[in-house]
Amino acid sequence: MSNDYSELSINEIAEIEGFTDEYVVDESSSMSKWFGKILNTKVKELSDGDVAKLLRQNYHPFYIIPEAIKRIRINPIVGELYDGEMLYSLSRVDAPFWLEFKEIRAEVLLLLNELDNYKLVFLEEEKEEINVEGQINRFKKLISELRSTISQI
């Protein structure tokens, strides 16, 4: 991917996108409080959960998806709330985004092709505690659902 936005803060991204009013936190809204806390955070410094939540909320996907791709390439099942959260969150990005930004869509499809060959590895002690086959099937299902979401556009 040609552009790296990881050094930009969420506030800087908002300004680039034309949001010039100062953000006012609504103390009665947990989403508003969360967003207020990450405004001055650089994309590369966001937690995995923050990146996933930004994607699910369709906040700044043009700037956030490249970071998600980087993190998924490092750890395909990356997530804060659950394994695969980042992949799932990518599938929540609105269809019009994928239509407009074909280069990013192509990059995600390339990532999914790479993940087709990825092998989940489990430690022996993990194998005793989890259903390995179930985990592998969930991972493959996430990839399939994301590919289907993007390909249908």
Side-chain angles (χ1 to χ4, degrees), residues 5 10 13 43 46 50-52 54-55 59-69:
Y5 304 107
I10 298 303
I13 291 169
V43 170
L46 293 167
D50 291 335
V51 172
L54 285 164
L55 291 174
Y59 289 165
H60 316 299
F62 181 81
Y63 300 92
I64 302 303
I65 289 174
E67 183 67 22
I69 290 170

Side-chain angles (χ1 to χ4, degrees), residues 87-100:
L87 277 172
Y88 172 79
S89 296
L90 271 175
S91 71
R92 309 282 34 110
V93 174
D94 288 339
F97 175 84
W98 299 118
L99 283 169
E100 183 177 349

